[in-house]
Amino acid sequence: MTTTDRNLQLFERAKALIPGGVNSPVRAFRAVGGTPRFVQRAQGAYFWDANDQRYIDYIGSWGPMILGHGHPAVVEAVQKAVLEGFSYGAPTEREVELAEAIIRLVPSIDMVRLVSSGTEAGMSAIRLARGATGRKKIIKFEGCYHGHADALLVKAGSGLATFGNPTSAGVPPEVVQHTIVLEYNNLEQLEAAFTEHGPEVACLMIEPIAGNMNFVRASVPFMKRCRELCTQHGALLAFDEVMTGFRVALGGAQSVYARLIPGFEPDMTVMGKVIGGGMPLAAFGAKRAVMEQLAPLGGVYQAGTLSGNPVATACGLATLKEISKPGFYEALSATTRSLVEGLKGAAAAEGVALSGDSEGGMFGFFLFDELPQNYAKVMTTDGPRFNHLFHGLLDRGVYIAPALYEAGFVSAAHTAQDIADTVAAARDVFKTLPR
Ligand SMILES: *Cc1c(COP(=O)(O)O)cnc(C)c1O
């Protein structure tokens, strides 16, 4: 059998060589079915697949491409850096500059360490929290993703506030025995967990606006209580801002909550995605007393051959410079809001129930009336209906996440015309969406 579909040809080749044909599971389209699009090139708000088909890109590498693809200032900075060498394994001025930029923009951070992925940053932050507090237990929430470190691949066990069960083969139950998994936005479970385990909790890690269960905000009373209970019990409040950092606002989700809760600050912050501008770069930071527990100053070991890579830091710095310009987030937020409002309007016009929300350049929408508060509710989305919508949009040149539990991302390169085209495509698909 012959085919002229280059995506399909590449997928067949890839599947023989790479498990599932992909280097990160969600790319395989297994939730939605069909052939993954192999990207040939990208520019601005678009990418082109192996058949030279253009798509309006609402993934942006899962968040990093906040300026759109191939921003000229970023390309120039990377080209210049490449000529100076790819990696040295010795310190550089750009690492200092990037640390200064992060600390200036995120006031809760006194010191920062650069690493190469969000997983590495989250894993290291937990080791540091345990080392700094001398405690073992960590609290996480169902539906929040903090990378694929063993201790975090865990779902709630049966019963209230119990210890979790591994969500991956290869993770022995002993490895997750100190991880407590609670329902997001559930105050009762939060209180019960601290009542029972408070003095043993090293840190509570949370996605403040959860983007790995589509888009779910921590409620203000819930976040306030997380802060109070951590302070009261001497546990560190760790914000996983790998997705939200420099994405929902220049100061991250913590700046959004600081506007709603006077004096609010997390104790630790984990960052990734946007700070690398599309290059492998992530970071974790905290107050000085905590960060000084890290090697070589303290007893908590952490290291990386490519950490603070000179090309990645050039890309990150150039990206931070662009997003720091006055009015950047106002414009980005307005574009993102216009997309969500447009989708709501198109759905209403076609009698389709749809709710949606956004902050800065991050958004989510659901095929039911009310915004969900937790993972269980998100997962009540009708899978086949979502898949119909996904493929309908894909056929019309609009690329959203190929899974209903993922957030969407708008870049500064998305124009009003792109949004209008997207909304028109969505309205067209809504007409045939199964009720
Ligand atoms: C993407 C993500 C991670 C993991 O980052 P990687 O760079 O993929 O390892 C961790 N936490 C959150 C909130 C994320 O969105």
Side-chain angles (χ1 to χ4, degrees):
M1 208 176 83
T2 58
T3 172
T4 52
D5 182 350
R6 286 265 300 142
N7 293 311
L8 191 57
Q9 287 172 350
L10 287 169
F11 194 38
E12 293 304 324
R13 259 172 78 195
K15 279 194 289 190
L17 306 166
I18 304 169
V22 293
N23 285 311
S24 200
V26 73
R27 299 177 193 172
F29 275 28
R30 290 182 77 98
V32 292
T35 309
R37 302 308 191 253
F38 279 65
V39 180
Q40 190 185 100
R41 69 200 155 87
Q43 186 58 47
Y46 316 115
F47 73 74
W48 286 262
D49 73 6
N51 296 333
D52 226 7
Q53 192 74 41
R54 192 194 85 166
Y55 299 87
I56 305 176
D57 179 12
Y58 288 105
I59 297 189
S61 187
W62 300 96
M65 309 315 299
I66 195 165
L67 300 172
H69 297 282
H71 187 285
V74 180
V75 170
E76 193 190 323
V78 169
Q79 282 175 333
K80 187 164 169 286
V82 164
L83 295 176
E84 293 165 355
F86 291 6
S87 184
Y88 319 116
T92 62
E93 184 169 354
R94 275 202 289 277
E95 291 164 83
V96 183
E97 287 174 1
L98 186 56
E100 280 168 352
I102 292 168
I103 290 163
R104 189 169 58 242
L105 295 172
V106 186
S108 69
I109 299 178
D110 287 345
M111 294 181 103
V112 67
R113 175 148 291 170
L114 303 181
V115 294
S116 302
S117 75
T119 293
E120 206 187 339
M123 176 188 85
S124 305
I126 281 174
R127 185 180 307 138
L128 176 58
R130 284 172 162 163
T133 58
R135 298 173 175 189
K136 286 184 187 168
K137 296 199 191 307
I138 55 179
I139 293 177
K140 85 172 281 289
F141 299 93
E142 192 98 64
C144 288
Y145 178 68
H146 306 296
H148 60 87
D150 283 0
L152 296 164
L153 290 179
V154 52
K155 66 175 185 304
S158 51
L160 181 71
T162 59
F163 296 99
N165 299 320
T167 53
S168 166
V171 178
E174 292 80 5
V175 173
V176 299
Q177 67 178 324
H178 302 300
T179 309
I180 302 167
V181 185
L182 308 177
E183 189 174 68
Y184 200 72
N185 278 326
N186 187 323
L187 274 165
E188 220 173 289
Q189 288 191 10
L190 181 72
E191 300 284 352
F194 273 98
T195 302
E196 197 173 338
H197 305 290
E200 302 161 277
V201 177
C203 75
L204 178 156
M205 187 169 271
I206 186 167
E207 278 186 80
I209 299 174
N212 288 286
M213 47 174 154
N214 197 323
F215 186 106
V216 182
R217 293 172 191 267
S219 76
V220 171
F222 184 74
M223 187 58 83
K224 204 162 164 245
R225 204 59 193 133
C226 284
R227 177 64 280 176
E228 287 165 359
L229 286 167
C230 282
T231 304
Q232 185 185 328
H233 292 274
L236 298 172
L237 176 59
F239 260 33
D240 183 347
E241 297 227 42
V242 171
M243 190 181 287
T244 53
F246 309 109
R247 166 53 70 178
V248 300
L250 191 54
Q254 54 197 271
S255 70
V256 175
Y257 283 92
R259 281 201 298 273
L260 302 165
I261 308 168
F264 181 89
E265 264 190 357
D267 299 306
M268 295 181 104
T269 303
V270 183
M271 285 165 290
K273 297 192 169 109
V274 170
I275 49 165
M279 289 276 179
L281 198 155
F284 60 103
K287 293 290 180 216
R288 188 170 305 275
V290 171
M291 291 303 286
E292 285 183 345
Q293 304 296 316
L294 266 187
L297 296 180
V300 179
Y301 191 69
Q302 191 280 326
T305 301
L306 298 177
S307 291
N309 176 271
V311 182
T313 48
C315 188
L317 272 170
T319 301
L320 290 191
K321 189 172 169 200
E322 293 302 314
I323 65 179
S324 299
K325 289 182 176 168
F328 179 85
Y329 285 90
E330 285 78 357
L332 182 66
S333 303
T335 308
T336 312
R337 268 199 303 272
S338 73
L339 172 66
V340 173
E341 290 311 312
L343 291 174
K344 283 188 199 170
E350 300 302 333
V352 170
L354 185 142
S355 57
D357 196 3
S358 69
E359 189 71 42
M362 175 175 162
F363 70 93
F365 64 87
F366 302 90
L367 291 171
F368 40 70
D369 281 322
E370 248 181 304
L371 290 172
Q373 293 301 305
N374 58 47
Y375 182 68
K377 176 66 186 167
V378 171
M379 296 317 275
T380 64
T381 305
D382 182 334
R385 286 179 82 226
F386 175 81
N387 295 349
H388 181 98
L389 175 61
F390 170 80
H391 280 291
L393 289 172
L394 197 64
D395 290 346
R396 289 163 180 79
V398 176
Y399 193 93
I400 63 166
L404 58 87
Y405 50 81
E406 304 283 358
F409 304 98
V410 169
S411 80
H414 286 76
T415 62
Q417 190 60 54
D418 294 327
I419 302 299
D421 291 347
T422 302
V423 169
R427 181 158 179 184
D428 207 23
V429 182
F430 290 149
K431 287 185 203 297
T432 60
L433 195 67
R435 294 303 134 109

